[in-house]
């Protein structure tokens, strides 16, 4: 892999509309940290670690941790939930560290292990919400070893604080849950989580306070039969059965509730429903008309993930276009109001997940998933990338950029007669009017609150490197050692060429020779 050159962009970059997502990490194939060299060698020999079988699909940032999920679609995945320490010396291709531990990712351990995790969400209460599907393998060779369960971790202690197994009536035979959206109300206890059942065509709501879940059904959760054809990375394939997938919760409205935005994967249409409906179990029946059709994003706008910030701007992956799209919810949902914040036909082949952290930084992971599933990846090439950029920078110059809002100031009192000198003020911001009373200030630009964590952490810290050719912007100050930030750096696009998939190769499986070797589990026993 070519060494990245670090280039300082400074104020010129921030002001330029050409500033896009900056590549922070990249891999030809994933690798893991083990307690010692011997453990890793044993894992390789037993088949517990097969780097070429790993595909990252989800990310989430919390303070000094960047979480990365790897589903167990094939054998040799030591941990499905992992993180990269952002306060470690910079490594362009870091090894993944199992979270909360290697033992906590044990396959088949339904009580304390994790089998397959797709996407996770961190909240302002320092909790990590993790959905374990309880499966390993990929369709049609999927094995259910544990029930669907919600696992919530205290990020300050790295301890699991709750495990909730979904009720039988919440799950159908085809259930496949990959995405989570959170809805926090007046307190941490007043939290609801929503889960999209892609292949079961349902939406599951869960109340933290009640510790209970319920399932909604609606025709808007089904795929659009007219747009089930996909063309990505030179591959043409059909995912016509993919229903409700990407979901995102908007800011709290004037009525005290959020709006949940959602769309099927095999669809170009955006839908919505108020969380007032989803929070009420009695609304499971008879709420058909409470769900709304917002409009169409446009052609070739299949999306796997979406997220909305507190200003009402939504970011979403555009997997057909190798791009990240945006939409300002203050505008009608139609093609002319959908913008592109970045597009790259090499680096952004299948942007699988997109998140916005508490410091308003955007994180994107791309993984060439269709090539991995439908053909075969070239592991001499870069296959997986993680990008980041400030949200404000990405939105500049797009149709999604929020309009500046001003707070009304008291009108100055214009004096037409002489007044004592002590009361005469000259305020140039208001046209040199002679005013009396308190000095009126210029209009104040209102910025929605976005910092939701009680503490912040640097975007990424590192030891000094020769290729760093300029100073870094300090993100915050705390009681710990000061660190440097890579947020103002440009990581040039890799010079790799577009991958041309070869003939599809599928794992050979028989009843006598399962693809998942039993020896894989021996490594976890201690």
């Amino acid at each position: 892999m070519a060494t990245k050159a670090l280039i300082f962009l400074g104020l010129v970059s921030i002001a330029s509309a050409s500033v896009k997502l900056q590549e922070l990490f990249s891999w030809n194939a994933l690798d893991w940290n083990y307690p010692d060299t011997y453990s890793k060698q044993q894992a390789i020999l037993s088949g517990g670690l097969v780097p070429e079988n790993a595909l990252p699909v989800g990310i989430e940032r919390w303070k000094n941790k960047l979480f990365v999920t790897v589903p167990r679609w094939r054998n040799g995945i030591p941990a499905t939930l992992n993180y990269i320490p952002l306060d470690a010396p910079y490594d362009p291709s870091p090894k993944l560290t199992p979270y909360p531990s290697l033992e906590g990712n044990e396959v088949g351990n339904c009580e304390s292990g994790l089998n397959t995790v797709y996407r996770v969400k961190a909240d302002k209460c320092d909790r990590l919400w993790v959905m374990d599907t309880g499966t390993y393998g990929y369709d049609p060779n999927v094995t259910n070893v544990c029930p669907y369960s919600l696992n919530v971790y205290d990020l300050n202690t790295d301890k699991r604080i709750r495990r909730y197994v979904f009720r039988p009536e919440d799950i159908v035979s085809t259930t496949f849950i990959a995405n989570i959206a959170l809805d926090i109300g007046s307190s941490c206890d007043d939290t609801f989580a929503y889960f999209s059942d892609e292949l079961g065509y349902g939406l599951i709501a869960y109340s933290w306070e009640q510790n209970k879940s319920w399932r909604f059904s609606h025709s808007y959760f089904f795929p659009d039969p007219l747009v089930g054809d996909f063309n990505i990375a030179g591959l043409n394939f059909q995912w016509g059965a993919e229903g409700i997938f990407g979901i995102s919760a908007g800011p709290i409205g004037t009525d005290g509730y959020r709006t949940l935005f959602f769309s099927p994967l095999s669809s170009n249409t955006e839908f919505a429903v108020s969380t007032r409906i989803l929070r009420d179990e009695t609304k499971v029946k008879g709420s058909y008309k409470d769900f709304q059709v917002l409009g169409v994003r446009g052609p070739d706008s299949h999306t796997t993930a979406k997220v909305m910030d507190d200003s009402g701007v939504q970011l979403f992956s555009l997997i057909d276009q190798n791009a990240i799209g945006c939409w300002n919810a203050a505008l009608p949902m139609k093609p002319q109001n959908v913008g592109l914040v970045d597009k790259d036909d090499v680096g952004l082949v299948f942007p699988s997940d997109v998140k916005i952290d508490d410091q308003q930084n955007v994180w994107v992971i791309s993984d060439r998933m269709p090539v991995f599933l439908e053909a075969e990846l070239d592991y001499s090439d870069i296959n997986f990338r993680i990008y980041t950029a400030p949200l404000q920078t990405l939105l500049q110059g797009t149709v999604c950029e929020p309009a500046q809002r001003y707070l009304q100031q008291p009108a100055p009192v214009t004096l037409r007669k002489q007044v004592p000198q002590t009361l005469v003020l000259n305020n140039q911001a208001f046209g040199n009017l002679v005013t009396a009373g308190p000095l009126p200030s210029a209009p104040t630009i209102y910025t929605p609150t976005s910092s939701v964590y009680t503490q912040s952490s640097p975007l990424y810290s590192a030891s000094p490197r020769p290729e760093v050719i300029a100073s870094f912007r300090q993100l915050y100050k705390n009681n710990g050692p000061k660190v440097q930030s890579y947020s103002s750096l440009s990581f040039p696009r890799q010079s790799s060429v577009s991958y041309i998939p070869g003939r599809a190769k599928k794992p050979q499986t028989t009843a006598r020779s399962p693809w998942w070797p039993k020896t894989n589990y021996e490594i976890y026993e201690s």
Side-chain angles (χ1 to χ4, degrees), residues 345-346 349 368 381 495-501:
D345 291 331
V346 174
V349 173
R368 297 184 175 180
D381 194 9
S495 58
S496 58
V497 297
S498 299
Y499 174 62
I500 301 176

Side-chain angles (χ1 to χ4, degrees), residues 210-231:
Q210 300 177 48
N211 194 29
K212 185 180 181 182
S213 58
W214 46 88
R215 179 186 179 93
F216 286 84
S217 298
H218 202 283
S219 58
Y220 293 169
F221 301 159
F222 283 78
D224 182 345
L226 301 180
V227 293
D229 190 57
F230 290 73
N231 290 276

